[in-house]
Amino acid sequence: MLKAVILIGGPQKGTRFRPLSFEVPKPLFPVAGVPMIQHHIESCAQVPGMQEILLIGFYQPDESLTQFLEAAQQEFNLPVRYLQEFAPLGTGGGLYHFRDQILAGSPEAFFVLNADVCSDFPLNAMLDAHRCQPHPFLLLGTTANRTQSLNYGCIVENPETHEVLHYVEKPSTFISDIINCGIYLFSPEALKPLRDVFQRNQQDRQLEDSPGLWPGAGTIRLEQDVFSALAGQGQIYVHLTDGIWSQIKSAGSALYASRLYLSRYQFTHPERLAKHTPGGPRIRGNVYIHPTAKVAPSAVLGPNVSIGKGVTVGEGVRLRESIVLHGATLQEHTCVLHSIVGWGSTVGRWARVEGTPNDPNPNDPRARMDSESLFKDGKLLPAITILGCRVRIPAEVLILNSIVLPHKELSRSFTNQIIL
C-alpha cells in the first residue's frame, strides 16, 4: 500500500507569482488547462497500490480548494484530503506534524512532491528503484548546467550505487550538475530523522529560553536539516531522470510549464488537445480549449495556447504562447503573444498584448528556467505580460512587457511598466 503527499505551501509563498496568486491559491493556477497540482494527482493515481493522496499546506480551506478536492476524489476514485498546518512548518515540518495520518494503514512507502514543479513524474520508476534497493530516502534528480545549478539543491552521488554522498542547498560555488527535483519517495523510517530534528530544535530553544513546547520547533527544512545532515550515511539515494522537469516559481515559468505539459498531452491526454476542424479556428501546434469557450472560426491559435472556461475569442484574433483565464474576452483582431490574460479581463479590438519569453537556452540540453528577477538597476526587465483579474484594455493600444494589477481600466499604451 502506498500514499502520496503534495506540499502546497501557503499564501506567504509564491510572491513572485503575483498578481495571479491574488485570485486563486498558486497550486490551483491553471497550467495547460487544469490546476497545477492536478498533474501531480493524475500521476500519483496511476501508481498501482496508491491508496490516498494528502495535501499539506498553510492555505485556508476556501471554496476553490474544497471544490477542487471534491472533484479530484470523484475523478480519480481516491481519497484526496487537505491537512492544514497551524503555522508554516517548512518542507519537512508538515510531514512530521501529520505523521500519524501519513502512516495510518501502514503504507510500504509514500511519495512527497513539491507543488511548484512541472514534471512527467516518473513515480513507477522511482518505486521500482526503491524496491530493488530499499532506503529511507530516495530523491529524484536531474541535471543543470554549472551556472544554473547554483540555484538548486545540488547532489553529489556515488555513480555506482547512486548513494547521495553530499548535499548542498543553493551552494555559492559549483558542487555538482545533479540537482534536486523536489520529488521524493520515503519509507516510514524517514520520519525518524525528522523527529530527531524536532527534538533538537526543542532542546535548543529550552537552552535559550524558558521550558515548554516551542511552536517553532516544528519548522523543519528537508533540504538543510535532513538531506545535508544525512548525506554520506547510507540513508539517501538519488534516482536520475532525463524527462521533462521545471520549477514553477513565476508567471513566466508557468507559461513554460504549460508548453511542456501541452506537448506531453500528445502521449498522455490527446483528447485535451484542440484539432483543426472545418468551420473552426485555425490550430497551430498544441492548443487546449475549454469546452465552454467560444472561439471565432477566423481566429488563429497556437502554438502553446491554453484557453480557459467561458473565454470569448473574437474574429481575427491571433493568440500564441499564452494562457487566457476563465471568463476573459479577446475582442476582434486582437493580438496576444507571450502573455497571461487574467480572469474576466477584456482586451479591446485591434489591441496588442505582448511579452518577452524567458525560456531556457534551446542550444543547451542542461539549461533550466532562470530565477527571474523583475527589476535590475531600478528598471523593470523584459518579461511576459500579465493582465490581472478584470483588467480592461481599450481598443488599438499596445501593452508590452508589463504587469497590470487587478481591476485596472487603462486608457493608453504602456511598455515595461507595472501598472498599479
Side-chain angles (χ1 to χ4, degrees):
M1 190 261 272
L2 300 165
K3 292 190 178 184
V5 177
I6 302 174
L7 305 177
I8 67 171
Q12 81 284 358
K13 297 287 186 179
T15 54
R16 281 183 284 175
F17 214 71
R18 294 172 181 169
L20 301 172
S21 55
F22 288 154
E23 305 301 323
V24 68
K26 178 183 171 183
L28 299 185
F29 180 81
V31 177
V34 301
M36 188 186 300
I37 56 172
Q38 183 165 325
H39 298 284
H40 300 58
I41 294 174
E42 287 178 355
S43 297
C44 291
Q46 293 173 2
V47 178
M50 184 63 63
Q51 294 296 311
E52 185 178 39
I53 299 173
L54 303 173
L55 277 57
I56 295 179
F58 189 53
Y59 287 100
Q60 292 295 325
D62 62 6
E63 182 180 357
S64 61
L65 183 56
T66 301
Q67 289 179 349
F68 171 78
L69 294 174
E70 292 175 350
Q73 290 189 91
Q74 292 180 358
E75 180 174 354
F76 301 107
N77 196 28
L78 270 177
V80 182
R81 295 193 292 137
Y82 175 53
L83 305 177
Q84 184 185 1
E85 299 170 335
F86 64 88
L89 296 177
T91 51
L95 298 175
Y96 182 71
H97 182 72
F98 293 111
R99 59 195 180 278
D100 292 339
Q101 287 91 328
I102 295 172
L103 298 181
S106 301
E108 167 194 355
F110 57 95
F111 292 96
V112 178
L113 302 87
N114 287 338
D116 58 355
V117 296
C118 159
S119 175
D120 52 8
F121 299 105
L123 305 184
N124 284 312
M126 293 179 69
L127 184 60
D128 291 342
H130 171 76
R131 286 172 171 167
C132 289
Q133 195 178 31
H135 294 284
F137 301 91
L138 181 64
L139 283 56
L140 184 67
T142 189
T143 55
N145 62 41
R146 291 178 63 95
T147 301
Q148 292 180 319
S149 68
L150 306 182
N151 299 321
Y152 303 94
C154 291
I155 298 167
V156 178
E157 67 155 353
N158 181 323
E160 297 180 357
T161 65
H162 302 296
E163 180 190 353
V164 175
L165 303 177
H166 190 47
Y167 183 93
V168 181
E169 185 68 17
K170 297 181 180 178
S172 57
T173 59
F174 177 74
I175 300 293
S176 169
D177 62 355
I178 301 175
I179 61 172
N180 177 9
C181 291
I183 300 170
Y184 317 115
L185 180 57
F186 293 170
S187 69
E189 292 76 24
L191 293 173
K192 294 178 182 178
L194 274 65
R195 178 197 61 194
D196 296 341
V197 174
F198 176 85
Q199 292 176 346
R200 185 168 63 249
N201 288 346
Q202 187 64 32
Q203 291 170 0
D204 291 345
R205 179 64 176 180
Q206 288 174 348
L207 291 174
E208 297 175 3
D209 204 355
S210 59
L213 183 63
W214 176 48
T219 302
I220 300 172
R221 304 166 301 172
L222 274 178
E223 301 81 6
Q224 293 94 331
D225 298 332
V226 179
F227 298 160
S228 293
L230 296 183
Q233 298 183 26
Q235 297 192 58
I236 309 178
Y237 285 72
V238 60
H239 177 80
L240 294 177
T241 179
D242 57 2
I244 67 168
W245 182 85
S246 184
Q247 285 187 325
I248 307 178
K249 296 293 187 183
S250 63
S253 57
L255 201 53
Y256 178 66
S258 184
R259 181 196 303 171
L260 296 179
Y261 279 135
L262 287 171
S263 177
R264 184 166 161 73
Y265 282 172
Q266 296 182 43
F267 311 101
T268 60
H269 292 284
E271 74 282 357
R272 291 181 181 171
L273 293 175
K275 298 175 177 60
H276 182 67
T277 57
R282 184 179 301 176
I283 305 298
R284 295 180 175 174
N286 299 317
V287 174
Y288 169 85
I289 303 175
H290 192 277
T292 62
K294 298 179 180 179
V295 182
S298 60
V300 181
L301 312 179
N304 306 317
V305 164
S306 175
I307 296 176
K309 180 180 178 181
V311 167
T312 300
V313 179
E315 297 287 351
V317 167
R318 181 67 176 103
L319 191 56
R320 175 189 175 103
E321 297 280 356
S322 296
I323 297 174
V324 184
L325 297 170
H326 180 117
T329 298
L330 307 182
Q331 295 182 354
E332 294 83 356
H333 304 290
T334 61
C335 182
V336 179
L337 311 173
H338 303 288
S339 300
I340 297 179
V341 179
W343 299 267
S345 291
T346 299
V347 181
R349 59 178 58 88
W350 293 104
R352 185 181 183 95
V353 176
E354 184 174 357
T356 300
N358 186 31
D359 295 343
N361 181 355
N363 298 316
D364 182 354
R366 296 188 173 190
R368 302 291 169 186
M369 284 288 293
D370 283 321
S371 296
E372 296 168 274
S373 175
L374 285 178
F375 296 94
K376 183 178 181 179
D377 299 328
K379 296 181 180 180
L380 182 66
L381 292 173
I384 73 163
T385 287
I386 305 170
L387 306 184
C389 175
R390 296 182 181 86
V391 167
R392 297 291 181 265
I393 305 297
E396 301 180 12
V397 302
L398 169 65
I399 306 298
L400 178 64
N401 299 334
S402 296
I403 299 174
V404 185
L405 268 61
H407 307 285
K408 297 298 176 184
E409 186 165 348
L410 306 186
S411 58
R412 61 180 179 86
S413 297
F414 287 92
T415 300
N416 293 342
Q417 293 193 42
I418 295 180
I419 300 140
L420 304 176

